[in-house]
Amino acid sequence: MEFGAANRIKKIPENFFAELDKQVATIGAENESVIDLSKGNPDIATPQHIALSLKEAVDKRENQRYTPFKGKISFRKSIQKFYQQQYGASVDVDKEIAVFHGAVVGINAVPQVLLNPGDYVITTDPCYPEYDTAIELAGGKIYKLPLLQANNYLPDYAQVPKEILARTKIILLNYPNNPTGATASASFFDRSLSFAHANKLLVVNDFAYASLGFYETPVSIMSRPGAKENALEIYTLSKTYSMAGWRIGFAVGNSSVVKSLNKYLAHGHSTVFGAVQDAAGTALESSQECVEEIRKKYQSRRDALIDGLKKINLEVADTRGTFFVWVRIPENYTSVSFAKLLLQGAHVAVAPGNGFGKYGEGYIRFSVVCGLEKIQEVLQRLRVLKVKEGF
Ligand SMILES: Cc1ncc(COP(=O)(O)O)c(C=O)c1O
């Protein structure tokens, strides 16, 4: 028997990255030559001391039971110390921290707890595609501000029409930014906070690439004055500590929002495995040398890729953060047709920019989630393809 999906499921698209997997599979299921740089799936191993901490934590009786709905107090204290040390931001362990299974859960939870039907979220175009579905599933509406190279890929709030602003509850940002690689300055966050304050909005910064800055340490919105009034920051250990499969993240910020989040998460997501929380606490509290090593690895790959792409005359944004490289495609192609050409002609999978929004058209995104040797192999294949296709 076939059961029809509910309207809310019918309305949302398939996960963009799951769709990319299907396209890669059409060429690469049994073809080992495909180099898949289409998704941001970290290839670097989780540092050993973190994995070891998990192994030990598994045997603890307290972790074999349900853990507290709000997250273990030990983990919340680790988060508190981490935010203090890294960003000079003080957060209350009871009122200003929510713990969940990775940033995607937090991204979906925030609209659920704040939006009534028809309320707006202002976000950017391009943006991480999960934002669209998170807002849609919560019955909200989306207003997108373009991210343009001319504005350093920062949104211009003056463009929001008054009637939309009156119905807006949330501004959803993501700096360092996927897919453009842009970073936000402290003054941009200050501008965002004062705009939010004046219009009674919550600014959410998805800080998924918190540790990946190449010119400066990325700014936490929680380090800015007024953040506790009008901001929430979503943090994940997926990229900072190469723990994407572990499913652990948290939010810090405005206490009224955290209270609603904790209520929603306790019903909708229950608790996070205590051993994962213990290991995540180890990650946050131990030496951060491993974070710098991971960052340096991504930087050397990014540098090599950008350098090589420029040499074949492709226009590449000088990304300031993340592990993405945002590349302008040659004329006479769309982002989909150029991505297809790279996949079929060079067995290199990249993400077409239009998957991140209409302002992503004209671009493709590489994730530098393979070693330097493979990056060189990608560049060699592109050089050969360029000669053949003449782009
Ligand atoms: C902007 C952004 N937010 C969130 C996530 C997902 O993070 P998590 O693994 O914690 O769910 C990603 C992953 O690629 C991302 O690019």
Side-chain angles (χ1 to χ4, degrees), residues 241-263:
Y241 302 98
S242 235
M243 291 170 68
W246 296 53
R247 312 311 306 135
I248 181 79
F250 56 88
V252 296
N254 180 281
S255 59
S256 59
V257 178
V258 164
K259 190 174 175 195
S260 301
L261 276 177
N262 279 330
K263 184 176 176 187

Side-chain angles (χ1 to χ4, degrees), residues 9 17 29-30 60 85 153 157 195 240 263 293 320 378:
I9 297 302
F17 299 102
E30 9 16 81
K60 285 191 193 157
Q85 271 165 14
Y153 299 107
Y157 299 123
F195 178 75
T240 307
K263 184 176 176 187
E293 275 167 27
R320 303 188 71 83
V378 165

Side-chain angles (χ1 to χ4, degrees), residues 35 37 43 301 368-378:
I35 302 177
L37 305 183
D43 63 308
R301 297 163 176 191
V368 289
V369 288
C370 68
L372 267 176
E373 243 173 61
K374 275 208 171 156
I375 296 278
Q376 294 303 349
E377 170 68 23
V378 165

Side-chain angles (χ1 to χ4, degrees), residues 268-306:
H269 294 270
S270 187
T271 57
V272 176
F273 183 24
V276 169
Q277 293 187 56
D278 285 358
T282 300
L284 298 181
E285 288 212 40
S286 305
S287 154
Q288 300 297 295
E289 238 169 73
C290 59
V291 175
E292 182 55 10
E293 275 167 27
I294 292 171
R295 192 196 66 78
K296 277 190 182 148
K297 255 189 201 160
Y298 287 129
Q299 174 151 22
S300 61
R301 297 163 176 191
R302 163 212 176 269
D303 291 352
L305 184 64
I306 289 181

Side-chain angles (χ1 to χ4, degrees), residues 330-333 341 384-391:
E331 276 176 20
N332 305 327
Y333 289 92
L341 176 72
V384 172
L385 188 67
K386 181 178 164 78
V387 171
K388 210 166 119 201
E389 297 292 330
F391 58 76

Side-chain angles (χ1 to χ4, degrees), residues 17 39-41 101-105 107 128 130-131 174 176-178 206-209 234-239 243-245 247-249 323-324 365:
F17 299 102
K39 284 169 279 60
N41 196 356
H101 309 75
V104 166
V105 172
I107 289 162
Y128 181 52
E130 288 310 301
Y131 297 166
N174 162 225
N177 183 255
N178 174 10
D206 174 0
F207 209 21
Y209 300 91
I234 296 178
Y235 198 100
T236 167
L237 283 82
S238 291
K239 312 292 156 70
M243 291 170 68
R247 312 311 306 135
I248 181 79
F323 53 37
F324 302 116
R365 190 199 73 176

Side-chain angles (χ1 to χ4, degrees), residues 187-200 203 225 230:
S187 65
F188 169 75
F189 279 141
D190 290 347
R191 271 203 316 281
S192 303
L193 285 167
S194 54
F195 178 75
H197 192 72
N199 294 288
K200 299 192 170 61
V203 189
N230 286 93

